[in-house]
């Protein structure tokens, strides 16, 4: 039976098999007498239960093995992330194939307790907590269930990152792709290169809205994570069985690094000392020079990075590799000499050489390189993996060639794209991708060979923050769609057209209450709340005297299109009408 057939409203993502107790079956009552029986190897999950369920209920969950109890144990016969959950009148028994599987079972138990179990302190001290009798057998469809968060375009403080790790864990997502560098800011402390954060972490102003907007926020923007901040984030993720994939974007999207260390750029083409951290959006022409100095510099960056992101938590290192414009390399005598020296065909192969260098370097240190699908251009190193973002095509090519793939196509799971076509969406960008659209996303393209399907590691939703200035805006774009994505990544769903979205939507009624308890500023089904709507005025001052008014009855257009009016967003986004192009 499919999860849509078996899951009662409320459980998200839908478990593989659920058997509810017969009518009248005695529930389990969680109260002050309930003890926590944690078998060896389950101590970390016990800590998490006390920190979450214990805090929300106000119950001690003391150690013990007799009476009313929550039992935690491991069963090596289960797959590592699989779990079993049995609730009857005497006990809650959670068994995992590993501590990770056990933690996902604990999240299901938390959902069964009700939305108040997601609060940080009890709202009704002394209340009773009844858990319905149930048997759950569950395991994930994919081993890679991820969210990419861009903190370069708009910086999120450390506490906001830790909060997002909690939200990932609550949705049984297990990969956090941490986009730490780009043209608009460098966000991780590298001690041997202090100017990366002294200069590269700050920009003087920021484009407000889409890059076509004429609006600017003149407030300087920036921030970075110290090395101890990163260690804390990684440890916090590991406690929740979340792998962290750090991304250092090279050789494109590198103006912040070049502004801090101008010798990294193509100095024989432009005066790189004039560059500053980029203050707008789009694809930047200023890319790294393919020199030995650049290679040594970024080897130094990665040496410190590997120390911050241990292999047990971060086996993959993301190097970006996307949107690297080759114009400067075409004009650069240094780059052309490097192409001739290496016997390369063109600039695409020069980028491939650059990526292959770091693939070999990382492999020698026990890590795996992963990059956006452009790293396929010019040839890909044998062990490298691909994040397929430009539709399915790159992922299909990579999988058929024997490379591991994470499917994250822009047309389906870029959560910066707008959720609705209405006029009240804040800073509308891209195609409309509704909650149902995300729910019907299928990570495995049709027609793949059986061998290629085995190379689909899983899937990931991406959150680019050009138009998300703070945590509230990130929440609005990510939720509730991340709940639909989590079910796609975890549950063994039918083909997209056959999925029971109505059933999922019914279960979301309970899940919205959980998101409320967690303080998530999500988009409500009926549309944005008043404070989530865009301002009604552009805030676009103009110099000089106003022009003469037009004759009566003549309609005019302001520069760049219609003037703002009632019901129109005041910020220039980039909505794209119609269905996304074929992938």
């Amino acid at each position: 039976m499919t999860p849509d057939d078996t899951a009662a409203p409320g459980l998200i993502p839908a478990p593989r098999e659920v058997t509810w107790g017969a009518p009248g079956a005695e529930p389990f009552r969680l109260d002050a007498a309930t003890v926590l029986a944690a078998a060896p190897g389950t101590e970390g999950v016990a800590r998490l239960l006390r920190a979450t369920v214990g805090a929300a209920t106000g119950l001690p969950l003391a150690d013990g093995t007799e009476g009313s109890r929550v039992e935690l144990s491991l069963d090596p016969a289960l797959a590592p992330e699989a779990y079993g959950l049995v609730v009857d009148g005497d006990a809650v028994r959670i068994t995992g194939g590993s501590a990770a599987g056990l933690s996902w079972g604990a999240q299901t138990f938390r959902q069964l307790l009700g939305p108040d179990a997601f609060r940080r302190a009890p709202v009704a001290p002394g209340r009773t907590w009844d858990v319905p009798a149930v048997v759950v057998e569950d395991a994930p469809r994919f081993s890679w269930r991820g969210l990419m968060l861009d903190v370069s375009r708009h910086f999120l403080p450390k506490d906001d990152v830790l909060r997002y790790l909690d939200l990932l864990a609550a949705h049984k997502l297990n990969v956090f792709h941490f986009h730490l560098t780009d043209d608009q800011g460098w966000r991780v402390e590298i001690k041997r290169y202090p100017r990366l954060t002294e200069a590269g972490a700050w920009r003087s102003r920021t484009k407000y809205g889409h890059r076509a907007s004429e609006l600017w926020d003149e407030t300087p923007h920036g921030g970075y994570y110290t090395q101890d901040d990163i260690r804390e984030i990684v440890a916090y993720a590991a406690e929740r069985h979340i792998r962290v994939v750090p991304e250092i974007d090279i050789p494109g999207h590198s103006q912040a690094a070049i502004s801090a260390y101008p010798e990294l750029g193509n100095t024989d083409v432009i005066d790189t000392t004039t560059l500053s951290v980029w203050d707008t959006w789009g694809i930047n022409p200023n890319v790294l020079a393919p020199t030995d100095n650049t290679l040594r510099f970024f080897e130094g960056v990665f040496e410190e990075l590997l120390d911050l992101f241990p292999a047990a938590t971060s086996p993959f290192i993301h190097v970006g590799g996307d949107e690297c414009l080759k114009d400067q390399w075409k004009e650069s005598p240094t780059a052309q000499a490097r192409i001739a020296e290496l016997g390369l065909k063109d600039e695409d192969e020069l980028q491939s050489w650059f990526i292959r260098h770091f693939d070999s370097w990382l492999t020698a240190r026990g890590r795996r390189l992963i990059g956006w699908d452009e790293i396929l251009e010019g040839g890909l190193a044998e062990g490298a993996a691909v994040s397929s973002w430009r539709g399915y095509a790159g992922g299909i090519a990579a999988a058929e060639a024997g490379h591991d793939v994470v499917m994250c196509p822009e047309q389906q799971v870029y959560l910066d794209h707008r959720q609705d076509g209405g006029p009240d969406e804040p800073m509308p960008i891209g195609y409309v991708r509704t909650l149902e659209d995300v729910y019907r996303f299928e990570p495995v393209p049709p027609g793949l060979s059986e061998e290629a399907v085995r190379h689909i590691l899983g899937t990931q939703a991406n959150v680019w923050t050009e138009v998300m200035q703070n945590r509230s805006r990130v929440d609005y774009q990510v939720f509730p769609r991340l709940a639909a994505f989590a079910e796609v990544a975890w549950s063994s769903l039918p083909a997209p057209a056959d999925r029971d979205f109505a059933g999922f939507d019914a279960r979301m009624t309970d899940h919205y209450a959980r998101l409320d308890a967690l303080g998530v500023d999500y988009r409500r089904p009926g549309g944005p709340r008043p404070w989530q709507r865009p301002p009604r005025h552009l805030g676009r001052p103009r110099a000089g005297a106003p022009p003469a008014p037009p004759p009566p009855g003549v309609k005019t257009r302001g520069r760049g299109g219609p003037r703002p009016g009632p019901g129109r967003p005041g910020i220039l986004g980039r909505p794209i009408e119609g269905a996304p192009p074929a992938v």
Side-chain angles (χ1 to χ4, degrees):
M1 300 179 72
T2 69
D4 296 304
D5 294 324
T6 63
L11 296 182
I12 290 178
R16 183 170 291 181
E17 295 286 346
V18 179
T19 304
W20 295 99
E26 184 180 359
F28 174 79
R29 175 154 292 180
L30 188 75
D31 57 25
T34 302
V35 297
L36 190 56
T42 70
E43 296 85 359
V45 178
R47 282 195 301 272
L48 280 176
L49 274 176
R50 290 188 174 105
T52 54
V53 171
T57 61
L59 301 175
L61 299 178
D63 289 331
T65 58
E66 301 296 331
S68 171
R69 63 199 180 277
V70 177
E71 296 180 359
L72 305 178
S73 62
L74 300 179
D75 181 356
L78 295 174
E81 288 194 281
Y83 71 89
L85 171 64
V86 178
V87 180
D88 58 32
D90 297 323
V92 174
R93 299 174 180 87
I94 311 174
T95 305
S98 68
L102 188 69
S103 72
W104 308 136
Q107 292 292 349
T108 299
F109 168 57
R110 192 179 177 197
Q111 289 194 10
L112 291 170
L113 282 165
D116 283 347
F118 289 81
R119 297 188 180 276
R120 297 187 182 183
V123 294
R127 66 171 279 189
T128 58
W129 298 80
D130 286 345
V131 185
V134 69
V135 176
V136 179
E137 296 179 8
D138 201 9
R141 180 185 180 193
F142 293 110
S143 63
W144 186 301
R145 308 179 303 279
L147 177 79
M148 188 226 69
L149 184 61
D150 165 24
V151 295
S152 179
R153 275 49 178 270
H154 279 100
F155 179 70
L156 280 179
K158 178 196 69 177
D159 284 352
D160 289 343
V161 174
L162 298 177
R163 172 178 175 267
Y164 256 83
L165 292 171
D166 283 333
L167 292 172
L168 264 63
H171 291 82
K172 299 185 175 70
L173 298 174
N174 68 344
V175 175
F176 178 58
H177 178 165
F178 205 7
H179 184 79
L180 288 164
T181 74
D182 218 296
D183 300 302
Q184 294 85 4
W186 185 283
R187 305 291 179 224
V188 55
E189 178 187 29
I190 303 296
K191 292 186 181 295
R192 75 185 71 185
Y193 303 128
R195 283 190 54 79
L196 286 173
T197 46
E198 290 172 0
W202 309 92
R203 59 179 183 260
S204 60
R205 64 174 188 169
T206 299
K207 175 67 73 172
Y208 196 54
H210 184 259
R211 60 182 175 272
S213 167
E214 296 182 4
L215 301 178
W216 294 89
D217 181 345
E218 299 292 344
T219 307
H221 179 85
Y224 66 92
Y225 309 103
T226 67
Q227 294 202 350
D228 282 344
D229 290 338
I230 294 291
R231 292 186 179 97
E232 180 183 358
I233 289 167
V234 170
Y236 197 86
E239 184 81 356
R240 286 149 185 79
H241 305 281
I242 295 171
R243 288 175 285 158
V244 182
V245 180
E247 180 180 354
I248 302 295
D249 210 338
I250 56 175
H253 287 289
S254 295
Q255 182 160 318
I258 296 169
S259 71
Y261 291 91
E263 65 272 19
L264 297 174
N266 294 283
T267 57
D268 53 352
V269 176
I270 64 163
D271 181 1
T272 55
T273 64
T274 64
L275 297 178
S276 59
V277 177
W278 212 25
D279 54 16
T280 189
W281 322 123
I283 304 177
N284 191 306
N286 296 302
V287 302
L288 298 174
T291 63
D292 290 340
N293 176 68
T294 300
L295 298 180
R296 300 292 88 77
F297 182 98
F298 278 92
E299 286 174 1
V301 168
F302 284 119
E303 282 177 6
E304 293 195 23
L305 205 74
L306 297 190
D307 180 60
L308 298 175
F309 295 89
T313 304
S314 303
F316 286 91
I317 304 295
H318 207 291
V319 299
D322 62 316
E323 297 180 330
C324 179
L325 297 180
K326 312 296 196 301
D327 295 342
Q328 289 184 355
W329 287 355
K330 291 176 181 177
E331 298 176 19
S332 164
T334 301
Q336 293 302 311
R338 178 68 87 180
I339 289 173
E341 171 197 343
L342 297 170
L344 304 177
K345 182 174 65 175
D346 55 20
E347 290 77 20
D348 283 343
E349 288 195 356
L350 182 61
Q351 178 172 339
S352 176
W353 164 81
F354 196 100
I355 298 298
R356 283 173 179 268
H357 173 87
F358 286 102
D359 179 78
S360 299
W361 191 92
L362 289 167
T363 299
R365 289 156 180 80
R367 306 300 179 94
R368 290 189 65 189
L369 178 144
I370 186 169
W372 303 111
D373 54 59
E374 287 95 329
I375 67 173
L376 290 163
E377 298 165 2
L380 185 58
E382 182 178 345
V386 170
S387 301
S388 185
W389 75 274
R390 294 181 298 175
Y392 288 116
I396 292 170
E400 293 289 4
H403 295 283
D404 288 341
V405 174
V406 176
M407 283 294 187
C408 49
E410 176 185 16
Q411 297 86 348
Q412 278 79 24
V413 289
Y414 267 38
L415 300 185
D416 42 306
H417 285 216
R418 57 190 173 142
Q419 303 183 63
D420 189 87
D424 286 338
E425 294 304 307
M427 291 194 192
I429 300 294
Y431 301 102
V432 173
R433 296 287 85 188
T434 65
L435 183 68
E436 183 171 358
D437 290 330
V438 174
Y439 190 69
R440 297 193 188 280
F441 164 58
E442 173 49 49
V444 178
L448 277 185
S449 67
E450 187 175 326
E451 175 61 28
V453 169
R454 287 196 283 269
H455 286 288
I456 305 297
L457 298 177
T459 184
Q460 177 174 291
N462 293 340
V463 182
W464 301 103
T465 61
E466 287 93 336
V467 299
M468 302 178 211
Q469 299 89 349
N470 52 46
R471 184 181 88 179
S472 178
R473 280 289 292 117
V474 174
D475 277 2
Y476 181 88
Q477 291 301 127
V478 171
F479 289 98
R481 292 183 294 182
L482 192 70
F485 173 80
E487 186 148 309
V488 168
W490 178 276
S491 305
S492 297
L493 298 175
D498 298 328
R499 293 178 188 174
D500 181 11
F501 177 72
F504 170 80
D505 204 31
R507 285 182 281 121
M508 280 300 297
T509 301
D510 287 345
H511 202 65
Y512 288 125
R514 295 183 196 115
L515 296 178
D516 287 331
L518 287 164
V520 177
D521 206 7
Y522 60 92
R523 184 188 189 278
R524 291 183 181 271
R529 289 170 273 199
W531 63 89
Q532 295 169 326
R533 294 172 186 154
R536 296 296 185 187
H537 302 286
L538 278 172
R540 181 184 168 207
R542 297 184 180 187
V554 175
K555 295 181 180 180
T556 63
R557 289 167 55 89
R559 184 181 176 190
R563 297 174 182 176
R568 292 191 59 81
I571 304 302
L572 181 57
R574 187 175 178 243
I576 302 174
E577 300 300 337
V583 294

